[in-house]
Amino acid sequence: MSSDQVNKKISRDYLGRMPLSPGVYIMKDAKGRVIYVGKAKILRNRVRSYFKDQDKLDPKTKMLVSTIATVDYIATGNEVEALVLECNLIKEHRPKYNVRLKDDKKYPYLKLTVNEKFPRLCLTRNVENDGAEYFGPYTDTRAVRRTMELIRSIFPLRNCPGPSFRPNRERECLNFQINRCAGPCTGRIDEDGYGKIVGHVRLFLKGRDRDLYRALENRMKELSADRRFEEASIARDQLAALSRVSERRQAVEPGGADEDVIALVSEKAKACAVVMRVRQGRVLSSESFILDDVAGNDPASLTGSFMQLYYHSNADIPEILYSQYRPADEKVITDWLSAKTGRRVTVKVPGRGDRKRLLGLAEKNAAMKLVADGGVDPASFELPGEIRKTLGLPSTPRRIEVFDVSNIQGTDAVGSMVTFENGKPLKSGYRHFRIRDVEGIDDFAMMREIVGRRMEALLKGAGGRPDLVMVDGGIGQVNAAVQAMAGRGFRDIPVIGLAKRNEEIFMAGHDDAIVLPRRSAVLRYLQRMRDEAHRFAIEYHRKLRGGKLAHSEIDEIEGIGETRKLALLKEFGSLDALRRASVEEIAGVPGFGEKTALKVHRRLRDAR
């Protein structure tokens, strides 16, 4: 679709008159609804790019362009201003094609009303520009309420709503009687004294336990020196309560810095972000957020979009953000955050150490929460998730289809497919194939045939679409499967092969094999699936051969049963190929040592 085919308001002439300055562009559909908001360093160039080279656009962007009726824009003085405006507009309009936090309007915040003479702490879901201080967003409402209750049990802030707070009352309310309020309404505490309590609450919410502990300790000493022992005892109790809370917070690096650890895991159209708030070296909280409609977003742009959404209404921004990826427009984002906080904010991608391990923990939690949000048992996600991470796959392989070819002794060649879903065998996804189109022994052609037949069935709606295809064999079998899939339009499904000789993993599009430690859980899981496909193929082969393999010289060798016989014939393909094998090659077959290999080699040599 060219720009002439879009609404006439988006003509080449209109696009050509857009300013060569930073700003925000606002795309609307035919009903005037905002469907996408974006920022640009140069408005004219960015907007025009949507209507050029349509074939190069990803599917999501193509769908966006097909529904655009008008494009408005707002020029700004610089990119940071454009970013702030973009954040505001996305929050206001929640455009369909922007990355959005799922149910972001429902996330609660803690509001400290520092805009009032005697501030209070309350729960809210609306962040307003009213001078109050907001903490959040939080995703666990019950945990937030428990935090509020804990704060009220330690710090005597007033709990009455604004209108019912009446200065110069004759007597205090019940909260004062149970030490849950300092009594500002009757003058029990002045504005300066109450302000110190508010300062303590602010330090607590920001996780600055050391600073708060020091402030309370100093206050207790001052009160004791003034012989105000009752008030000093309150400060002592606050110190004890704070110590208990601090002990429950996981220590990352005692006395360390303030940091946020941000991990993102995406799965097709959804993603989950986990933010671990580390304050003064201790994990203060961990919040998880589901993001909708993220298909087509690369990790860098997704990271940047999430940072904009999360920190838009969040005033508690540390100096260091640890992330798996550097966000798109990193400089613009860090300049914006630095302007918000008044100090330099940086993004770091740890390569090793405690922060790398903490980021891995956050990533694992994000993956599990993403699966849980989709109604899948998180426990079944762990191994497929490790496969994705180890092999660098674009998504978690929840459904894996494994193919094997069996042509033992060169006759009755068959193929098999087994399916594993969420880490478990899916028996309804098992299939047998009898080789139809290949004459003689040609493992590559046979693999091409059975994978092709499976893809044709998939085109007709048979079975679910696999997230990963695995074949028994090396790069030759992998390439054969890729050819079969590409010929049916399935170019985006990853293909790997597991070669039995050295247990190497071959990936389509990669020159070098991947060698994992023998104790690797990922390798063992792949072996289990490969062996299951092999078992299923042999079972079918036996059925076609009448339940037993043909008698041969191998059966005459002492200590060689049917299992070892199958292993030899599977490895070498035919009896003739086995006769040509060396002792070392035979000894390399699982279950065979040098002594047994020598026995086999001599028996077959003597039988010639």
Side-chain angles (χ1 to χ4, degrees):
M1 183 180 66
S2 68
S3 59
D4 290 335
Q5 293 172 294
V6 190
N7 190 291
K8 291 181 181 178
K9 294 181 181 178
I10 316 175
S11 64
R12 286 193 179 93
D13 185 51
Y14 176 79
L15 295 175
R17 292 196 305 270
M18 295 187 79
L20 295 169
S21 68
V24 171
Y25 53 94
I26 305 153
M27 295 174 169
K28 300 179 182 179
D29 62 13
K31 294 183 179 179
R33 293 174 298 199
V34 176
I35 56 175
Y36 187 76
V37 175
K39 64 181 179 301
K41 184 176 182 179
I42 302 175
L43 276 168
R44 183 189 301 175
N45 295 350
R46 183 70 186 98
V47 176
R48 289 172 77 172
S49 69
Y50 285 91
F51 305 104
K52 291 182 178 180
D53 300 322
Q54 296 290 303
D55 293 337
K56 295 182 180 179
L57 298 177
D58 61 81
K60 181 180 177 180
T61 307
K62 283 183 179 179
M63 182 65 69
L64 164 65
V65 173
S66 69
T67 56
I68 297 172
T70 59
V71 179
D72 294 331
Y73 63 85
I74 303 172
T76 60
N78 53 58
E79 288 182 80
V80 174
E81 289 179 8
L83 183 144
V84 174
L85 182 56
E86 180 194 30
C87 289
N88 291 333
L89 292 173
I90 291 173
K91 279 281 185 180
E92 180 180 351
H93 297 288
R94 290 178 53 80
K96 177 180 178 180
Y97 291 96
N98 281 99
V99 173
R100 305 185 307 277
L101 294 178
K102 182 180 179 182
D103 301 327
D104 65 339
K105 288 189 175 180
K106 297 181 180 179
Y107 290 136
Y109 290 79
L110 285 176
K111 178 179 180 179
L112 189 60
T113 62
V114 292
N115 52 328
E116 297 176 345
K117 185 175 181 180
F118 292 101
R120 56 202 166 87
L121 185 69
C122 56
L123 191 68
T124 183
R125 297 181 187 274
N126 298 312
V127 177
E128 302 173 5
N129 188 20
D130 56 2
E133 196 165 349
Y134 293 85
F135 299 87
Y138 302 99
T139 52
D140 188 338
T141 306
R142 285 179 296 180
V144 175
R145 292 188 185 280
R146 287 196 298 269
T147 299
M148 285 185 64
E149 185 62 24
L150 175 64
I151 291 173
R152 287 171 179 165
S153 69
I154 300 176
F155 306 105
L157 288 180
R158 71 180 182 94
N159 191 27
C160 47
S164 64
F165 175 68
R166 298 192 301 272
N168 303 317
R169 290 177 55 173
E170 293 183 1
R171 55 185 299 183
E172 300 83 6
C173 64
L174 178 62
N175 283 326
F176 176 82
Q177 306 299 330
I178 59 174
N179 297 320
R180 290 293 186 94
C181 178
C185 58
T186 59
R188 292 278 186 166
I189 189 170
D190 59 19
E191 191 173 349
D192 183 58
Y194 193 89
K196 290 180 180 178
I197 298 174
V198 173
H200 295 160
V201 172
R202 182 186 286 110
L203 290 174
F204 182 89
L205 288 171
K206 290 185 176 182
R208 305 196 67 81
D209 293 357
R210 285 187 290 119
D211 295 341
L212 177 55
Y213 196 94
R214 192 179 304 113
L216 288 172
E217 194 171 42
N218 290 337
R219 178 162 176 76
M220 181 180 68
K221 291 177 180 178
E222 290 173 3
L223 291 170
S224 297
D226 293 341
R227 306 183 67 81
R228 296 159 62 183
F229 299 118
E230 185 175 348
E231 294 175 69
S233 66
I234 295 175
R236 179 202 61 202
D237 294 342
Q238 290 173 334
L239 279 170
L242 178 63
S243 295
R244 290 193 295 270
V245 173
S246 296
E247 286 170 3
R248 293 198 295 267
R249 290 173 175 167
Q250 178 186 349
V252 176
E253 180 183 305
D258 293 349
E259 307 155 356
D260 278 354
V261 177
I262 303 170
L264 279 139
V265 173
S266 60
E267 187 69 26
K268 297 178 181 176
K270 276 191 175 183
C272 180
V274 164
V275 181
M276 286 187 172
R277 297 172 60 223
V278 181
R279 299 297 181 266
Q280 295 187 336
R282 291 180 177 272
V283 178
L284 185 64
S285 66
S286 177
E287 304 291 336
S288 60
F289 303 87
I290 299 296
L291 293 88
D292 288 326
D293 300 321
V294 301
N297 285 272
D298 60 84
S301 64
L302 191 57
T303 300
S305 295
F306 174 73
M307 287 181 176
Q308 290 177 232
L309 291 169
Y310 180 72
Y311 291 112
H312 176 257
S313 303
N314 192 335
D316 184 19
I317 305 170
E319 295 183 23
I320 304 174
L321 311 180
Y322 285 104
S323 176
Q324 306 138 293
Y325 314 100
R326 293 203 172 277
D329 299 322
E330 179 182 356
K331 186 177 185 306
V332 179
I333 290 174
T334 53
D335 285 349
W336 165 57
L337 295 176
S338 299
K340 285 190 71 170
T341 61
R343 61 184 186 277
R344 191 62 197 164
V345 176
T346 59
V347 176
K348 295 184 179 182
V349 179
R352 59 184 179 180
D354 291 339
R355 299 307 180 273
K356 178 69 173 179
R357 286 190 288 273
L358 193 58
L359 192 59
L361 178 62
E363 184 178 355
K364 183 176 181 179
N365 276 272
M368 295 179 71
K369 289 177 183 297
L370 181 60
V371 175
D373 185 73
V376 180
D377 179 10
S380 67
F381 180 82
E382 190 165 349
L383 270 174
E386 286 298 314
I387 291 176
R388 174 190 178 177
K389 188 175 179 180
T390 301
L391 302 182
L393 301 177
S395 63
T396 301
R398 297 183 190 173
R399 182 185 176 100
I400 304 174
E401 293 183 354
V402 189
F403 295 84
D404 183 39
V405 170
S406 177
N407 53 33
I408 297 174
Q409 289 179 273
T411 61
D412 296 315
V414 299
S416 69
M417 180 189 89
V418 300
T419 303
F420 278 65
E421 207 166 81
N422 295 318
K424 299 178 182 178
L426 182 68
K427 297 296 183 179
S428 62
Y430 280 34
R431 296 287 185 273
H432 283 135
F433 302 89
R434 195 163 186 172
I435 302 301
R436 302 170 182 166
D437 305 327
V438 181
E439 297 292 337
I441 302 172
D442 187 339
D443 279 355
F444 301 156
M446 292 177 186
M447 185 63 72
R448 192 180 303 113
E449 178 183 332
I450 65 172
V451 173
R453 284 163 60 182
R454 163 61 186 139
M455 294 301 119
E456 288 171 4
L458 183 58
L459 287 172
K460 297 175 183 177
R465 177 188 171 97
D467 301 305
L468 175 67
V469 165
M470 185 171 86
V471 298
D472 179 17
I475 195 64
Q477 284 83 356
V478 168
N479 289 337
V482 169
Q483 291 170 9
M485 294 166 65
R488 278 85 177 173
F490 296 101
R491 295 180 177 85
D492 58 338
I493 299 176
V495 181
I496 65 170
L498 183 59
K500 200 163 191 175
R501 180 64 60 87
N502 297 314
E503 301 294 7
E504 296 173 311
I505 301 169
F506 293 88
M507 293 187 68
H510 293 72
D511 296 331
D512 298 326
I514 299 171
V515 180
L516 299 179
R518 291 288 174 160
R519 294 185 178 182
S520 164
V522 169
L523 178 60
R524 289 182 178 181
Y525 183 57
L526 296 178
Q527 288 172 327
R528 176 191 171 197
M529 292 189 290
R530 188 267 317 278
D531 293 345
E532 174 66 0
H534 180 53
R535 180 201 65 77
F536 196 53
I538 294 299
E539 181 184 90
Y540 186 43
H541 202 284
R542 283 180 176 173
K543 183 178 179 181
L544 294 179
R545 295 292 302 268
K548 276 282 185 180
L549 293 171
H551 187 83
S552 71
E553 292 97 322
I554 305 176
D555 297 290
E556 305 297 331
I557 305 171
E558 185 181 353
I560 301 295
E562 192 159 335
T563 300
R564 282 183 167 181
K565 176 182 175 182
L566 284 171
L568 285 172
L569 294 174
K570 173 61 180 173
E571 181 68 26
F572 296 102
S574 69
L575 196 58
D576 287 338
L578 179 57
R579 286 193 182 99
R580 294 191 298 269
S582 65
V583 175
E584 290 76 15
E585 289 173 326
I586 297 172
V589 178
F592 284 80
E594 187 176 347
K595 184 178 179 180
T596 307
L598 182 61
K599 188 188 299 186
V600 172
H601 187 266
R602 285 174 176 172
R603 178 67 182 84
L604 294 179
R605 182 192 60 191
D606 295 342
R608 289 179 181 176

